[in-house]
Amino acid sequence: MADIAAIAARLDDAARQARAIPQITGEGGELPLAEAYAIQRAAIDHRLARGATLVGVKMGFTSEAKMAQMGLKDQIWGRLTSDMVVTNGATINRARFIHPRVEPEVAVRLKVPLSGEVSREEAFAAVDAVAAALEIIDSRYENFRFALGDVVADNASSSAFVVGPWLSADTDMSDVAMVMRVDEAVAETGTSAAILGDPVRSLVAAARLAGSGGLILQPGWTVMLGGATAAAAIGSARTVSLDAGHLGRVGFTIEGDAA
Ligand code: 0L1
Ligand code: MG
C-alpha cells in the first residue's frame, strides 16, 4: 500500500514550488487506481486547508486517441479548485508552472447536483450554461512522464483553467470547430465532437466517476469536459487564444520566466 499522505504532500509541494518530481511508479512500481484517487484527494485537501475551495471537476483522456495511447477504456477525472481559476483575458505568471501545456475544451456550469449513473437527458437538464474553455495542464512529474496511477494522483495534470463567456444551456456544443493559437500562430485545430463523440457524454462520465469517488457534482460548479485536440506546449509562449465559433473566444497571456 502506497504512503498516501507522504505522496500527497510531495505532489502538493511540487505544484506549489513549480518543481518536477520523479514519477511515483518509476522502476516498474504500481499504483492502483483506488490509491491514486486517494492521493489526489489528500493532495487537494492541502489546498483546501490553505483556503481554496472546490469549484468543479475536470475530465481527462476524453479522446479515443488518448485512451488508446494509455491503453485505457475509461476517462480519468480531477478536482478544480478556486486557486486554479484564471479570468478570461488575464495575465498569468510563467513561474507558476513547470512545463505547461494547453488544451482547447468545452466547459459547462451546473444548476443542480449531479451524481452517479445519469442519462444524457439528465445530464443536459443539469446544465446551467456552456462555454469555450482552455485547460492548462502541467504534470508535476519530470519530463511529463507518468503511468496511469501517477497522473490520477497528480490531479489528472490539471493546473489552471480559463472559461470564456457563459452561454445559455441550450447552446449546441456537440460539434464546434476549434482553432487554438499560441503566440498568434495556429497550434491546434479540431472539433468538440472529439470529446467522446459528443461532450455531453463526458458530463455523464463525470457524474459517474466523481460519484464513485464519493463526490457529488454541485450547482455552480464548472465541469471541464476534456480536450478537443492534443495539448500544445506553452513553456515559452506569451499569448494563447481559442476561437470556438458560436461558443466564442477565450484566452490569456503569460508574463515572466520559469522559476
Ligand atoms: O486533460 C487531459 O486530458 C489530460 C489528462 C492528463 C494526461 C496529460 O497530462 O496529458
Ligand atoms: Mg484537459
Side-chain angles (χ1 to χ4, degrees):
M1 171 97 179
D3 186 339
I4 286 165
I7 299 170
R10 280 174 54 208
L11 282 164
D12 180 58
D13 284 346
R16 274 200 300 161
Q17 295 162 11
R19 275 187 216 287
I21 58 173
Q23 69 185 103
I24 303 158
T25 64
E27 313 289 327
E30 280 198 9
L31 188 57
L33 265 189
E35 291 179 31
Y37 276 112
I39 293 167
Q40 179 192 121
R41 181 179 180 160
I44 297 296
D45 280 348
H46 283 277
R47 287 190 212 170
L48 303 185
R50 290 194 292 272
T53 54
L54 273 184
V55 297
V57 300
K58 69 148 284 182
M59 297 298 288
F61 297 140
T62 48
S63 73
E64 298 295 335
K66 257 189 154 172
M67 274 189 281
Q69 193 181 26
M70 292 295 285
L72 296 178
K73 291 192 171 50
D74 209 352
Q75 296 76 58
I76 63 172
W77 67 283
R79 290 160 162 89
L80 301 176
T81 54
S82 52
D83 51 354
M84 297 166 70
V85 175
V86 175
T87 304
N88 188 16
T91 300
I92 54 179
N93 200 314
R94 173 66 181 82
R96 270 179 69 177
F97 306 98
I98 304 165
H99 36 206
R101 299 178 183 177
V102 65
E103 297 180 333
E105 305 215 359
V106 175
V108 291
R109 188 175 68 206
L110 300 181
K111 60 183 176 192
V112 293
L114 196 64
S115 180
E117 300 289 339
V118 299
S119 67
R120 182 187 166 83
E121 290 68 31
E122 287 166 327
F124 267 128
V127 172
D128 183 36
V130 174
L134 290 163
E135 184 188 21
I136 302 173
I137 57 172
D138 190 32
S139 174
R140 267 56 64 164
Y141 302 115
E142 291 164 351
N143 305 314
F144 240 100
R145 189 175 307 131
F146 44 72
L148 177 60
D150 298 302
V151 68
V152 165
D154 184 28
N155 204 25
S157 297
S158 202
S159 186
F161 66 102
V162 195
V163 177
W166 287 112
L167 305 172
S168 66
D170 59 1
T171 307
D172 182 14
M173 60 178 173
S174 64
D175 186 10
V176 182
M178 295 194 155
V179 180
M180 186 169 71
R181 290 183 173 81
V182 175
D183 289 338
E184 312 302 330
V186 173
E188 294 288 342
T189 59
T191 160
S192 62
I195 305 167
L196 290 184
D198 183 342
V200 73
R201 292 197 183 126
S202 185
L203 182 55
V204 169
R208 172 175 55 82
L209 290 171
S212 69
L215 194 66
I216 297 171
L217 306 181
Q218 297 294 327
W221 278 15
T222 297
V223 182
M224 294 286 287
L225 295 175
T229 71
I234 52 168
S236 53
R238 296 284 116 170
T239 66
V240 178
S241 65
L242 170 62
D243 184 340
H246 68 267
L247 284 190
R249 290 167 179 263
V250 54
F252 59 92
T253 59
I254 306 170
E255 67 179 9
D257 300 315

